[in-house]
Amino acid sequence: MAAVARLSTVLIQCPNCNPTTINYLRFSRHINGHKYNFATAAVNNIHRRKSRGSFTITCSASNEPSPSEISSTAKIRSEVLTPFRSVRMFFYLAFIASGSLGGLIAITRLIGALANPSRADEVPEIIRGVGIDFGAVSIFAFLYYQENKAKNAQVARLSREENLSNLKLRLDEKRILPISVFRGIARLVILAGPSTYIAESFKLSEPFTDGLVERGVLVVPFATDGSSPRFEFEETEEKKEINAKRKRLWQLAPVYAAEWAKWIDEQKNLANVTPESPVYLSLRMDGRVRGSGVGYPPWNAFVAQLPPVKGIWSGLLDGMDGRV
């Protein structure tokens, strides 16, 4: 998101001049026959104080989204994943409105029947109709509530995934790329924990290196204790080929640690996981979260369940990565 200019305080020394004209998102001032324009991207509040021929205009602006703000990309992805949800919600609202209107009409008939003794025989039938109408309203209101709840949960999850896709990774000394670049290219496995956890995960992955590389897996190790994990390779002629694959598997490194720590802490909080617990998070080829857990990642399960990225199964099973 582009940064929004911030305008803190503007002091205009203008003795014996007309009041300042302030418009939304911009304001102008005539000083000694000249017009001066001031503008800001978003003005939240304006305070104006007058003291002996001078005006102080204080403006504040911010580009921070509110907690309830959801990116348009997340909303679009939600519509693509569940294209008929909006149709169902529309019909639920239509049925609620129809049932409510029918219930109100039936209530007016019931009042008239109760006020007229000659129509007493109509009361049971009218009451039955009122019960049917308001029963239908209750059912469709419940269905709408559940559908809307599922929609909000899905959009919130997709929004968190979009925030994840904006986090940066260092590919080499010259290239820093967002996670979104790896969509359709690799399956990322994010590890978050102390450096000892990262080192042990590195050792446990060695027997499955070939299978993980064939399935497009790339590991993103994030050391939560601030230490840089060091990976030791046995430099021998026999292990030259496997070391090259292991270096490729563990080539990514997170940058801007504060942003990574914030996102991971939010995920732990949502999953009710203690802040100090080491966790792993696996992504699908399309960037969506496939699975997560506490402890060491199941490298053997990744190899057993994920399809290779080459051959006739490439692309066909990308959306069927399973849950690990």
Side-chain angles (χ1 to χ4, degrees):
M1 181 181 293
V4 179
R6 297 176 182 268
L7 181 60
S8 298
T9 303
V10 179
L11 179 62
I12 305 176
Q13 298 291 342
C14 182
N16 301 324
C17 56
N18 296 327
T20 303
T21 300
I22 301 177
N23 298 321
Y24 182 68
L25 294 181
R26 66 182 62 195
F27 55 92
S28 62
R29 183 73 180 124
H30 291 272
I31 305 177
N32 298 330
H34 298 280
K35 183 178 181 180
Y36 295 85
N37 294 320
F38 302 88
T40 184
V43 178
N44 293 334
N45 53 71
I46 299 176
H47 303 286
R48 178 171 173 266
R49 300 192 301 270
K50 178 179 180 181
S51 60
R52 293 189 179 183
S54 65
F55 294 92
T56 301
I57 303 173
T58 304
C59 305
S60 64
S62 174
N63 64 335
E64 296 295 331
S66 63
S68 60
E69 183 179 352
I70 302 295
S71 66
S72 58
T73 305
K75 294 180 180 178
I76 294 173
R77 290 182 64 191
S78 177
E79 291 291 339
V80 172
L81 293 174
T82 52
F84 298 107
R85 172 174 285 156
S86 298
V87 177
R88 291 196 300 268
M89 294 180 70
F90 170 79
F91 280 109
Y92 291 157
L93 288 176
F95 294 149
I96 291 171
S98 177
S100 300
L101 181 60
L104 292 175
I105 295 174
I107 287 176
T108 59
R109 291 180 57 205
L110 178 61
I111 294 174
L114 293 174
N116 188 354
S118 62
R119 297 176 57 191
D121 56 338
E122 300 179 11
V123 172
E125 182 180 355
I126 296 175
I127 291 177
R128 186 167 54 252
V130 171
I132 293 173
D133 288 334
F134 284 100
V137 168
S138 301
I139 292 173
F140 287 114
F142 175 77
L143 292 175
Y144 179 85
Y145 169 78
Q146 292 294 334
E147 197 76 56
N148 190 58
K149 182 179 179 181
K151 175 184 176 182
N152 292 337
Q154 183 187 54
V155 171
R157 176 178 59 82
L158 293 175
S159 181
R160 291 194 299 271
E161 292 177 357
E162 286 299 318
N163 293 335
L164 172 63
S165 70
N166 293 326
L167 296 178
K168 301 298 190 297
L169 295 172
R170 184 183 299 278
L171 184 60
D172 52 39
E173 295 181 356
K174 297 182 179 180
R175 287 182 292 179
I176 295 178
L177 304 172
I179 288 181
S180 58
V181 172
F182 295 91
R183 286 178 178 170
I185 300 175
R187 299 181 174 101
L188 301 184
V189 176
I190 301 170
L191 309 180
S195 55
T196 54
Y197 164 77
I198 302 296
E200 187 64 22
S201 298
F202 174 74
K203 293 179 182 179
L204 294 175
S205 69
E206 183 176 4
F208 308 100
T209 299
D210 288 333
L212 293 172
V213 171
E214 289 177 0
R215 286 152 179 79
V217 174
L218 294 178
V219 183
V220 182
F222 178 71
T224 55
D225 56 3
S227 301
S228 298
R230 295 183 179 181
F231 305 129
E232 297 180 358
F233 300 91
E234 186 179 345
E235 299 295 343
T236 61
E237 190 64 26
E238 297 177 353
K239 291 194 173 184
K240 184 176 181 180
E241 183 179 353
I242 190 67
N243 284 342
K245 292 182 178 180
R246 297 194 74 196
K247 291 178 181 179
R248 175 185 174 186
L249 180 64
W250 293 81
Q251 63 183 317
L252 300 178
V255 295
Y256 308 122
E259 297 180 3
W260 276 90
K262 179 182 177 182
W263 190 88
I264 291 173
D265 289 342
E266 290 176 352
Q267 293 300 112
K268 288 183 177 181
N269 185 37
L270 290 171
N272 294 321
V273 176
T274 56
E276 63 274 7
S277 299
V279 296
Y280 71 89
L281 185 77
S282 62
L283 305 183
R284 301 180 1 161
M285 289 283 270
D286 59 4
R288 287 187 290 167
V289 176
R290 178 181 65 251
S292 60
V294 178
Y296 298 106
W299 303 118
N300 57 337
F302 292 151
V303 174
Q305 297 180 10
L306 298 177
V309 295
K310 294 182 180 179
I312 62 174
W313 303 112
S314 177
L316 179 63
L317 297 180
D318 287 349
M320 302 181 184
D321 284 354
R323 300 196 63 83
V324 179

